Structures are given as structure tokens and as C-alpha cells.
Coordinates of all heavy atoms in Angstrom, one line a residue:
Y56 N -3.6 3.4 -0.6 CA -4.9 2.6 -0.8 C -5.7 3.1 -2.0 O -6.6 2.3 -2.5 CB -5.7 2.7 0.5 CG -5.3 1.6 1.5 CD1 -4.3 1.7 2.3 CD2 -6.0 0.4 1.5 CE1 -3.8 0.7 3.2 CE2 -5.6 -0.7 2.4 CZ -4.5 -0.5 3.2 OH -4.1 -1.5 4.1
A57 N -5.3 4.3 -2.5 CA -6.0 4.7 -3.8 C -5.2 4.2 -5.0 O -5.6 4.5 -6.1 CB -6.1 6.2 -3.8
G58 N -4.1 3.6 -4.7 CA -3.3 3.1 -5.8 C -2.4 4.2 -6.5 O -1.8 4.0 -7.5
T59 N -2.2 5.3 -5.8 CA -1.4 6.4 -6.3 C -0.3 6.8 -5.1 O -0.4 7.9 -4.7 CB -2.3 7.6 -6.5 OG1 -3.0 8.0 -5.5 CG2 -3.2 7.3 -7.7
P60 N 0.5 5.9 -4.8 CA 1.4 6.2 -3.7 C 2.4 7.3 -4.0 O 2.7 7.6 -5.1 CB 2.2 4.9 -3.6 CG 2.2 4.3 -5.1 CD 0.8 4.6 -5.5
H61 N 2.8 7.9 -2.8 CA 3.8 9.0 -3.0 C 5.1 8.5 -3.5 O 5.4 7.3 -3.5 CB 4.0 9.7 -1.6 CG 2.7 10.4 -1.2 ND1 2.7 11.2 0.0 CD2 1.5 10.6 -1.8 CE1 1.6 11.8 0.1 NE2 0.8 11.5 -0.9
D62 N 6.0 9.4 -3.8 CA 7.3 8.9 -4.5 C 8.3 8.5 -3.5 O 9.3 9.1 -3.3 CB 7.7 10.2 -5.3 CG 8.9 9.7 -6.2 OD1 9.0 8.5 -6.5 OD2 9.7 10.5 -6.8
H63 N 7.9 7.4 -2.7 CA 9.0 6.8 -1.7 C 8.8 5.3 -2.1 O 7.7 4.7 -2.3 CB 8.4 7.0 -0.3 CG 8.2 8.4 0.0 ND1 9.3 9.2 0.3 CD2 7.1 9.1 0.3 CE1 8.9 10.4 0.6 NE2 7.5 10.4 0.7
V64 N 10.1 4.7 -2.1 CA 10.0 3.3 -2.5 C 9.2 2.4 -1.6 O 8.6 1.5 -2.1 CB 11.6 2.7 -2.5 CG1 12.3 3.4 -3.6 CG2 12.2 2.9 -1.2
E65 N 9.2 2.7 -0.3 CA 8.5 1.8 0.6 C 7.0 2.0 0.4 O 6.2 1.1 0.6 CB 8.8 2.2 2.1 CG 8.5 3.6 2.5 CD 9.6 4.5 2.3 OE1 10.6 4.2 1.5 OE2 9.6 5.6 2.8
D66 N 6.5 3.2 -0.1 CA 5.1 3.4 -0.4 C 4.7 2.7 -1.6 O 3.6 2.1 -1.8 CB 4.8 4.9 -0.6 CG 4.9 5.7 0.7 OD1 5.7 5.4 1.5 OD2 4.1 6.7 0.9
H67 N 5.6 2.7 -2.6 CA 5.3 1.9 -3.8 C 5.2 0.4 -3.6 O 4.3 -0.2 -4.1 CB 6.4 2.1 -4.9 CG 6.2 3.5 -5.7 ND1 5.2 3.6 -6.7 CD2 6.8 4.7 -5.4 CE1 5.3 5.0 -7.1 NE2 6.2 5.6 -6.4
A68 N 6.1 -0.1 -2.8 CA 6.1 -1.5 -2.5 C 4.9 -1.9 -1.6 O 4.3 -2.9 -1.9 CB 7.4 -1.9 -1.7
L69 N 4.6 -1.1 -0.6 CA 3.4 -1.4 0.1 C 2.1 -1.3 -0.7 O 1.2 -2.1 -0.5 CB 3.3 -0.5 1.4 CG 2.2 -0.7 2.3 CD1 2.2 -2.1 2.9 CD2 2.2 0.3 3.5
S70 N 2.1 -0.4 -1.6 CA 0.9 -0.2 -2.4 C 0.7 -1.5 -3.2 O -0.6 -2.0 -3.4 CB 1.0 0.9 -3.4 OG -0.1 1.0 -4.2
L71 N 1.7 -2.1 -3.6 CA 1.5 -3.4 -4.4 C 1.0 -4.5 -3.5 O 0.3 -5.4 -3.9 CB 2.9 -3.8 -5.1 CG 3.3 -2.9 -6.2 CD1 4.6 -3.3 -6.7 CD2 2.3 -2.9 -7.4
V72 N 1.5 -4.5 -2.3 CA 1.1 -5.5 -1.3 C -0.4 -5.3 -0.9 O -1.2 -6.3 -0.9 CB 1.9 -5.5 0.1 CG1 1.3 -6.3 1.2 CG2 3.2 -5.8 -0.1
V73 N -0.8 -4.1 -0.8 CA -2.2 -3.7 -0.5 C -3.1 -4.3 -1.8 O -4.1 -4.8 -1.6 CB -2.4 -2.3 -0.3 CG1 -3.7 -1.8 -0.4 CG2 -1.8 -1.8 1.0
Q74 N -2.6 -4.0 -2.9 CA -3.4 -4.4 -4.1 C -3.5 -5.9 -4.2 O -4.6 -6.4 -4.5 CB -2.7 -3.8 -5.3 CG -2.9 -2.4 -5.5 CD -2.1 -1.8 -6.7 OE1 -2.3 -2.4 -7.9 NE2 -1.4 -0.7 -6.6
Q75 N -2.3 -6.6 -3.9 CA -2.4 -8.0 -4.2 C -3.1 -8.9 -3.2 O -3.8 -9.8 -3.4 CB -0.9 -8.6 -4.2 CG -0.2 -8.3 -5.5 CD 1.3 -8.9 -5.4 OE1 2.2 -8.2 -5.6 NE2 1.3 -10.2 -5.2
Y76 N -3.1 -8.3 -1.9 CA -3.7 -9.1 -0.8 C -4.9 -8.4 -0.1 O -5.4 -8.9 0.8 CB -2.6 -9.2 0.4 CG -1.5 -10.1 0.0 CD1 -0.2 -9.6 -0.6 CD2 -1.5 -11.6 0.0 CE1 0.8 -10.4 -0.9 CE2 -0.5 -12.3 -0.4 CZ 0.7 -11.8 -0.9 OH 1.7 -12.6 -1.2
K77 N -5.2 -7.3 -0.6 CA -6.4 -6.5 -0.1 C -6.2 -6.3 1.4 O -7.1 -6.6 2.2 CB -7.7 -7.2 -0.4 CG -7.9 -7.5 -1.9 CD -8.0 -6.3 -2.7 CE -8.3 -6.5 -4.1 NZ -7.2 -7.3 -4.9
L78 N -5.0 -5.9 1.7 CA -4.6 -5.7 3.2 C -5.5 -4.8 3.8 O -5.6 -3.5 3.5 CB -3.1 -5.3 3.3 CG -2.5 -5.3 4.7 CD1 -2.4 -6.8 5.2 CD2 -1.2 -4.6 4.6
P79 N -6.2 -5.1 5.0 CA -7.1 -4.2 5.7 C -6.4 -3.0 6.2 O -5.5 -3.1 6.9 CB -7.7 -5.1 6.8 CG -7.6 -6.5 6.3 CD -6.3 -6.5 5.6
R80 N -7.0 -1.8 5.9 CA -6.4 -0.6 6.3 C -6.3 -0.4 7.7 O -5.3 0.2 8.3 CB -7.2 0.6 5.6 CG -7.0 2.0 6.2 CD -5.7 2.6 5.7 NE -5.5 4.0 6.2 CZ -5.8 5.1 5.5 NH1 -6.3 5.0 4.4 NH2 -5.6 6.2 6.1
H81 N -7.4 -0.8 8.5 CA -7.3 -0.6 10.0 C -6.1 -1.1 10.8 O -5.8 -0.7 11.8 CB -8.6 -1.1 10.6 CG -8.7 -2.5 10.8 ND1 -8.9 -3.4 9.8 CD2 -8.6 -3.2 11.9 CE1 -8.9 -4.6 10.2 NE2 -8.8 -4.7 11.6
L82 N -5.6 -2.2 10.2 CA -4.3 -2.8 10.8 C -3.2 -1.8 10.8 O -2.4 -1.7 11.8 CB -3.9 -4.0 10.1 CG -5.1 -5.2 10.1 CD1 -4.6 -6.4 9.3 CD2 -5.2 -5.6 11.6
L83 N -3.0 -1.1 9.7 CA -1.9 -0.1 9.6 C -2.2 1.1 10.4 O -1.4 1.7 11.1 CB -1.6 0.3 8.1 CG -0.8 -0.8 7.4 CD1 -1.1 -0.6 5.8 CD2 0.6 -0.7 7.6

């Protein structure tokens, strides 16, 4: 959510989803 994901592919991909859709953190 800070835009600095850890070095895992799933973290990088989810970070882009969070940025594009402003996905609410409380759901995760």
C-alpha cells in the first residue's frame, strides 16, 4: 500500500491492482 512491494511477484502484481483500483485495505 506504500507502493514499495517486497520482492515477490505476487506482491508486485497486487501493488499494481491496489494502485489502479484503490482497493480498500480492510478487505485484505
Side-chain angles (χ1 to χ4, degrees):
Y56 275 81
T59 56
H61 290 185
D62 194 19
H63 304 289
V64 292
E65 63 271 13
D66 290 36
H67 281 282
L69 181 59
S70 181
L71 291 175
V72 173
V73 167
Q74 291 178 44
Q75 284 183 237
Y76 294 96
K77 306 300 184 290
L78 190 66
R80 165 74 180 263
H81 76 286
L82 296 175
L83 283 160

